[in-house]
Amino acid sequence: KAIEELKHASNTLKQLATEESKNTAQYRYDFALCLRELARALDIRYRNFYKTPNSKPGDSELRAYGQEVEETWDQTLAQWSELKEPFSGDVRLAADWFLTYKQCLAFHNFEKSRLTKAGSPEVEHPLERRVALTKELLKMKPAEPGLKILVGETLLDLATAQVRLRKPEAAARTVAEIAKAVPPDWEKYWLAARCLVQCIPPIEEILADPEREKAAQSYGERAIVMLRDAAASGWQGAELVRSEKLLEPLRTRPGLRPAYEKLLSELNKK
């Protein structure tokens, strides 16, 4: 009943927000608030289906509920963006806008956790949405270092999932984004480099020579560059480079071993 009432209210406010009057600005603001409350209500209902399995609908109906939640959160964010820039002096607007982003991210975090636990390849979608949302936040406040790290976190989650889904080319592209988005002194920078190394075994199975050898060599070289950049920024990872099993391709591939040994020697001197 509450959801239906919120849907009715949002439709009414949407109509009022399109009519030019002295109250139009307030109607637009109220419409955004109402949409957020509707998204929250839909979100809570959707999550409750997973908390109480006996009440869970069928798979197709459940998927439709999830899509409705996502679409309503996206509609809410779109409405906020139509009002005005959030940092033009209206503190209330900025706070409401960021709260909506936070709640929308929480929904995609729930989907990420649920789909990861189920081992579903569909996990890539909420991970990509998290990346897009954090990039939007960073665009609004480009000087905020915490947001740069948040973008790095969401990109690393995406790359890790793409490795697990055996999508090495997609994972390598995501790691390239990480290298551009965050500084090498980020504590998880080396994990992004490790993702690149993890792309080597699956790409060897997917491609044929000479593309296979070229891709594997490129991934390894890029990983070593990232590890070296991390070390130059203070990362003390000699033991990890020496013993981390997932870095094994750097030790065993003839084309990569000399650069790997040089990197290890440099790290040992730190």
Side-chain angles (χ1 to χ4, degrees):
K1 182 180 178 180
I3 288 175
E4 292 307 313
E5 290 176 352
L6 284 167
K7 286 183 177 180
H8 177 72
S10 66
N11 286 333
T12 301
L13 286 166
K14 181 179 181 180
Q15 180 61 37
L16 291 170
T18 60
E19 298 173 357
E20 290 299 328
S21 73
K22 64 179 182 179
N23 296 320
T24 298
Q26 185 62 48
Y27 287 143
R28 289 174 179 171
Y29 181 80
D30 291 343
F31 177 40
L33 287 178
C34 189
L35 278 175
R36 190 178 72 193
E37 289 308 304
L38 174 59
R40 285 184 67 248
L42 292 169
D43 196 336
I44 290 169
R45 179 183 66 177
Y46 178 67
R47 297 193 204 201
N48 282 340
F49 285 138
Y50 290 95
K51 292 179 181 178
T52 54
N54 291 336
S55 66
K56 187 188 294 186
D59 289 345
S60 60
E61 189 177 357
L62 194 59
R63 182 185 294 271
Y65 279 129
Q67 289 175 343
E68 184 180 19
V69 176
E70 181 174 347
E71 289 169 2
T72 308
W73 278 127
D74 288 346
Q75 187 182 2
T76 305
L77 287 171
Q79 180 58 25
W80 284 123
S81 69
E82 288 179 8
L83 296 177
K84 61 178 180 178
E85 290 299 316
F87 301 104
S88 57
D90 193 331
V91 176
R92 180 184 62 165
L93 176 60
D96 285 331
W97 194 329
F98 273 101
L99 178 58
T100 304
Y101 268 102
K102 181 179 178 180
Q103 293 169 326
C104 187
L105 280 167
F107 165 70
H108 289 294
N109 285 338
F110 172 78
E111 287 291 84
K112 177 202 75 168
S113 299
R114 179 181 69 80
L115 293 168
T116 298
K117 186 176 180 180
S120 172
E122 294 179 4
V123 72
E124 199 170 8
H125 175 70
L127 289 168
E128 288 173 337
R129 288 297 297 135
R130 290 168 76 239
V131 169
L133 289 167
T134 54
K135 283 182 176 180
E136 288 173 18
L137 283 171
L138 180 60
K139 186 177 180 180
M140 282 189 265
K141 291 200 74 174
E144 176 57 53
L147 290 177
K148 291 181 181 180
I149 296 304
L150 186 58
V151 170
E153 293 275 5
T154 57
L155 283 168
L156 182 57
D157 279 350
L158 175 59
T160 301
Q162 289 167 331
V163 168
R164 188 169 61 251
L165 293 171
R166 300 185 69 76
K167 293 185 173 182
E169 292 164 306
R173 288 193 296 270
T174 303
V175 172
E177 284 195 65
I178 294 173
K180 294 178 181 178
V182 297
D185 62 354
W186 180 39
E187 62 181 1
K188 295 183 180 180
Y189 199 80
W190 81 274
L191 292 173
R194 189 181 70 177
C195 277
L196 267 178
V197 181
Q198 288 178 268
C199 291
I200 294 176
I203 203 68
E204 289 179 324
E205 297 176 9
I206 293 170
L207 298 181
D209 282 333
E211 288 80 9
R212 171 172 51 196
E213 180 62 29
K214 182 179 179 181
Q217 183 70 20
S218 173
Y219 293 164
E221 289 175 352
R222 285 169 54 192
I224 289 172
V225 168
M226 290 185 72
L227 292 171
R228 182 170 283 115
D229 287 344
S233 298
W235 180 60
Q236 309 252 330
E239 184 55 36
L240 282 169
V241 170
R242 183 183 300 106
S243 60
E244 171 61 61
K245 291 181 179 180
L246 294 175
L247 296 181
E248 190 64 17
L250 299 183
R251 306 181 192 102
T252 57
R253 290 186 63 85
L256 296 172
R257 186 169 178 81
Y260 164 79
E261 291 179 342
K262 181 179 179 182
L263 170 65
L264 185 57
S265 176
E266 292 169 357
L267 284 169
N268 284 330
K269 293 176 182 178
K270 286 187 173 292

